[in-house]
Amino acid sequence: MKLGVNIDHVATLRQARGGAAPEPVYAAAIAEQAGASGITVHLREDRRHIQDRDVRLLRETVQTKLNLEMAVAPDVMEVALQVRPQCCCLVPERRQEVTTEGGLDVAGQLAQVRNCVVKMQSVGTVVSLFIAPEEEQIIAAAKSGAQFIELHTGSFANAKGESEQNFELDRLIIAAEKAHSLGLRVNAGHGLDYFNAHLMHHVPYLEELNIGHSIISRAVFTGLAQAVREMLDIIK
């Protein structure tokens, strides 16, 4: 498995003071040099952390690949079509949420999602859909034309006790197998940390884990490069 590092919370810290530091572009460079296979940022509609200028600068400077998380929203879509990131991941978004809660309802808005997929693919961007490990959503994802799904691992990460964790892990395994059978490639992310990421080795066909909060949190104490290297050791 590869590691995509989400640097949203570097921008969260910057926005807390409204200044220029810390600079997400620098964070991306450090993460790449430490071995990250890609950089992920979420351009939210409310621009609470990552800003348009960040996305444009990262597209110019990231040497691996830029993965842009985005809602199916006109203003964000306009930026994405201009920037043309190597990858994008369509996610659900509610302004009142602290972080992305649950997966995208692809089955309930298939036409809208398919339209976004077609537009992004037309500029050369590989499209992923951030979905819960549910058969209905996986089937809809295959119908959308997206190349990837990213399995939402939040329920797994928040599981209490071994029994509940194993139940959620089984759901991810079944979902990955179903996605693979339909021709979809599979990534995963959300809530993964230094204590549970190693269990993702049980999930077949996973190509990449996208991890942000736990790495940035650890970086406060160890430095970002060391935090990335420690996570890489776990998932390898």
Side-chain angles (χ1 to χ4, degrees):
M1 290 182 292
K2 297 178 181 179
L3 174 64
V5 176
N6 186 312
I7 60 170
D8 287 347
H9 294 308
V10 175
T12 297
L13 185 57
R14 178 192 62 192
Q15 297 304 111
R17 291 290 293 267
E23 172 58 70
V25 172
Y26 295 164
I30 293 169
E32 285 187 307
Q33 290 170 3
S37 63
I39 300 299
T40 294
V41 293
H42 184 174
L43 185 65
R44 297 185 68 103
E45 290 186 81
D46 61 11
R47 306 303 199 270
R48 69 175 64 167
H49 39 56
I50 293 295
Q51 305 298 303
D52 294 30
R53 57 82 69 181
D54 298 326
V55 178
R56 298 182 193 282
L57 285 173
L58 287 164
R59 183 65 180 91
E60 295 176 4
T61 57
V62 165
Q63 299 298 300
T64 52
K65 66 179 179 184
L66 177 63
N67 176 39
L68 178 64
E69 293 183 342
M70 52 184 280
V72 184
D75 66 317
V76 179
M77 176 79 70
E78 183 178 353
V79 174
L81 290 171
Q82 292 172 0
V83 173
R84 302 184 179 192
Q86 290 94 334
C87 309
C88 76
C89 185
L90 305 185
V91 302
E93 187 174 313
R94 296 203 316 258
R95 292 195 176 226
Q96 67 270 30
E97 68 188 2
V98 175
T99 185
T100 305
E101 300 171 355
L104 183 67
D105 182 14
V106 183
Q109 50 181 331
L110 182 56
Q112 186 180 9
V113 171
R114 184 187 288 125
N115 181 59
C116 184
V117 169
V118 170
K119 286 184 177 180
M120 293 309 302
Q121 289 176 341
S122 73
V123 296
T125 298
V126 174
V127 182
S128 178
L129 306 180
F130 189 59
I131 61 174
E134 299 169 355
E135 183 175 17
E136 178 187 27
Q137 299 301 336
I138 295 166
I139 293 171
K143 292 178 180 178
S144 75
Q147 296 103 314
F148 277 86
I149 61 166
E150 181 171 331
L151 291 173
H152 187 298
T153 53
S155 294
F156 163 79
N158 295 327
K160 300 295 190 288
E162 185 177 353
S163 177
E164 184 178 342
Q165 187 180 63
N166 287 337
F167 173 79
E168 293 297 339
L169 185 60
D170 285 342
R171 290 182 67 211
L172 293 169
I173 292 170
I174 293 168
E177 290 173 341
K178 180 66 176 180
H180 180 74
S181 74
L182 295 175
L184 290 163
R185 298 169 70 181
V186 187
N187 296 330
H190 198 82
L192 297 176
D193 59 28
Y194 294 85
F195 303 100
N196 60 29
H198 69 283
L199 293 173
M200 290 298 99
H201 281 289
H202 293 286
V203 182
Y205 310 114
L206 281 185
E207 297 189 25
E208 185 173 77
L209 301 181
N210 283 302
I211 304 176
H213 185 266
S214 64
I215 291 176
I216 302 304
S217 297
R218 197 174 191 89
V220 172
F221 303 104
T222 68
L224 182 54
Q226 181 64 21
V228 171
R229 285 193 291 264
E230 289 177 9
M231 183 60 77
L232 279 168
D233 287 341
I234 290 170
I235 70 172
K236 286 181 178 179

